[in-house]
Amino acid sequence: DTKVAEGGLNVTLTIRLLMHGKKGETVKKMREESGARINISEGSCPERIVTITGPTDAIFKAFSMIALKFEEDINASMTNSTVTSKPPVTLRLVVPASQCGSLIGKGGSKIKEIRESTGAQVQVAGDMLPNSTERAVTISGTPDAIIQCVKQICVVMLESPPKGATIPYRPKPASAPIIFAGGQAFTIQGQYAIPHPDLTKLHQLAMQHPPFTPLGQTTPGFPGLDATTPTSSHELTIPNDLIGCIIGRQGSKINEIRQMSGAQIKIANATEGSAERQVTITGSPANISLAQYLINAR
């Protein structure tokens, strides 16, 4: 067995299955039997963050109980199912991105060693979780393989603490689908379409100021549009840690925001010693409003 330094350890994981038993008895039992502090994030989100804190022995006992509970759920779901092969137990840890390099190791050596010695599958996500500086680490296998794997991951996390500040991942409620009909925006909730005045206003502004100018024309060629619509600039600052969310892979997201809003968006180069980047949005008031809305949504 791997020896782990004694002391407090805070490992945060995201679990897609609801862990509350009837009246929370499942979690209460885990707290009592493991001796670990187990907190579950609030909110009606598809994902909940489960934070387990305590001495290493208590943490492994809690993980053991979670993995066995998941296997129990898998067995129960297979009782009346036609599925013949049993799926593995899967957990998703949430790990600060600054610690993921140590977990992967040079040329993938550490993660390979963990896979081979425990028999668990371990995958480190390439992208950070939305609006955070954390990455998802997915572990799957038998309950025993998962427990051994968590032990080794905890060793790495103790030996290589996070560098700099960590922006924690916070799950957001599932966003309701949006439809546009008759010039109005509606969010779909169950079987009802609920009017959404803020989105309606943005949608109408965007329609009044189309983003594309036909070649050879200085103003958009749409009837009824005042060619003298004033343009202005708006500046905002975005933390360096979040700028990747706005830019996207090879600039895909920022280009999408430019096209949808019709605004010009310039992101200043990183300045040494500064934790923020300057973003300048230029266009009509409607273009700027829509660009700001889309950036905030990202």
Side-chain angles (χ1 to χ4, degrees), residues 5 19 24 49 76 84 103 109 135 138 176 179 201 209 215-216 231 257:
M19 270 195 47
I49 298 281
T84 51
L103 185 56
S109 57
R135 288 205 232 171
T138 305
I179 59 167
K201 199 180 293 179
H209 303 277
L215 288 172
T231 61
I257 293 170

Side-chain angles (χ1 to χ4, degrees), residues 83-143:
V83 178
T84 51
S85 59
K86 185 176 171 181
V89 174
T90 302
L91 300 181
R92 289 209 308 156
L93 304 181
V94 178
V95 178
S98 59
Q99 290 178 291
C100 287
S102 303
L103 185 56
I104 294 166
K106 194 172 182 180
S109 57
K110 189 67 189 175
I111 202 164
K112 185 184 176 192
E113 179 193 313
I114 294 172
R115 285 180 186 134
E116 288 175 355
S117 63
T118 65
Q121 283 297 313
V122 190
Q123 298 290 338
V124 179
D127 293 331
M128 285 187 272
L129 288 157
N131 304 318
S132 79
T133 56
E134 294 187 301
R135 288 205 232 171
V137 176
T138 305
I139 307 170
S140 58
T142 64

Side-chain angles (χ1 to χ4, degrees), residues 264-279:
Q264 290 180 26
I265 305 170
K266 289 184 180 176
I267 299 173
N269 293 329
T271 310
E272 197 174 337
S274 173
E276 295 178 322
R277 299 274 284 276
Q278 196 78 18
V279 176

Side-chain angles (χ1 to χ4, degrees), residues 247-268:
I247 296 170
R249 281 186 184 276
Q250 298 180 325
S252 59
K253 291 299 171 190
I254 196 69
N255 286 336
E256 194 178 290
I257 293 170
R258 285 182 182 119
Q259 287 192 346
M260 288 177 74
S261 67
Q264 290 180 26
I265 305 170
K266 289 184 180 176
I267 299 173

Side-chain angles (χ1 to χ4, degrees), residues 2-289:
T2 307
K3 288 188 178 178
V4 180
E6 282 301 321
L9 177 65
N10 186 324
V11 180
T12 310
L13 59 147
T14 303
I15 297 177
R16 288 193 169 276
L17 294 176
L18 191 63
M19 270 195 47
H20 289 284
K22 191 179 178 185
K23 296 181 183 173
E25 283 144 7
T26 305
V27 175
K28 187 183 174 189
K29 185 183 174 192
M30 286 180 182
R31 286 187 184 119
E32 288 170 356
E33 291 191 19
S34 69
R37 283 212 328 266
I38 303 175
N39 292 316
I40 301 177
S41 64
E42 295 294 325
S44 54
C45 301
E47 296 179 307
R48 305 284 282 274
I49 298 281
V50 178
T51 308
I52 304 173
T53 313
T56 50
D57 287 351
I59 284 176
F60 301 140
K61 177 70 174 168
F63 266 101
S64 171
M65 295 179 77
I66 290 168
L68 290 168
K69 173 73 176 95
F70 275 36
E71 187 173 57
E72 194 182 296
D73 291 346
I74 289 168
N75 290 338
S77 68
M78 288 182 71
T79 307
N80 299 315
S81 170
T82 54
V83 178
T84 51
S85 59
K86 185 176 171 181
V89 174
T90 302
L91 300 181
R92 289 209 308 156
L93 304 181
V94 178
V95 178
S98 59
Q99 290 178 291
C100 287
S102 303
L103 185 56
I104 294 166
K106 194 172 182 180
S109 57
K110 189 67 189 175
I111 202 164
K112 185 184 176 192
E113 179 193 313
I114 294 172
R115 285 180 186 134
E116 288 175 355
S117 63
T118 65
Q121 283 297 313
V122 190
Q123 298 290 338
V124 179
D127 293 331
M128 285 187 272
L129 288 157
N131 304 318
S132 79
T133 56
E134 294 187 301
R135 288 205 232 171
V137 176
T138 305
I139 307 170
S140 58
T142 64
D144 188 56
I146 283 174
I147 296 155
Q148 296 303 320
C149 184
V150 168
K151 282 186 181 182
Q152 296 207 26
I153 288 172
C154 287
V155 171
V156 173
M157 293 179 79
L158 282 168
E159 290 175 350
S160 308
K163 298 174 187 72
T166 298
I167 300 172
Y169 170 57
R170 299 184 194 282
K172 290 190 175 178
S175 55
I178 298 165
I179 59 167
F180 295 102
Q184 271 196 299
F186 298 86
T187 53
I188 306 301
Q189 294 175 19
Q191 43 189 322
Y192 301 102
I194 313 296
H196 199 305
D198 292 341
L199 283 176
T200 298
K201 199 180 293 179
L202 280 169
H203 180 59
Q204 288 169 348
L205 286 169
M207 291 302 99
Q208 286 168 15
H209 303 277
F212 302 109
T213 303
L215 288 172
Q217 287 184 228
T218 53
T219 56
F222 291 87
L225 180 67
D226 181 2
T228 62
T229 303
T231 61
S232 56
S233 286
H234 179 81
E235 290 190 347
L236 54 109
T237 53
I238 294 176
N240 288 338
D241 295 326
L242 298 182
I243 203 74
C245 301
I246 309 299
I247 296 170
R249 281 186 184 276
Q250 298 180 325
S252 59
K253 291 299 171 190
I254 196 69
N255 286 336
E256 194 178 290
I257 293 170
R258 285 182 182 119
Q259 287 192 346
M260 288 177 74
S261 67
Q264 290 180 26
I265 305 170
K266 289 184 180 176
I267 299 173
N269 293 329
T271 310
E272 197 174 337
S274 173
E276 295 178 322
R277 299 274 284 276
Q278 196 78 18
V279 176
T280 306
I281 308 169
T282 309
S284 70
N287 297 147
I288 291 171
S289 295

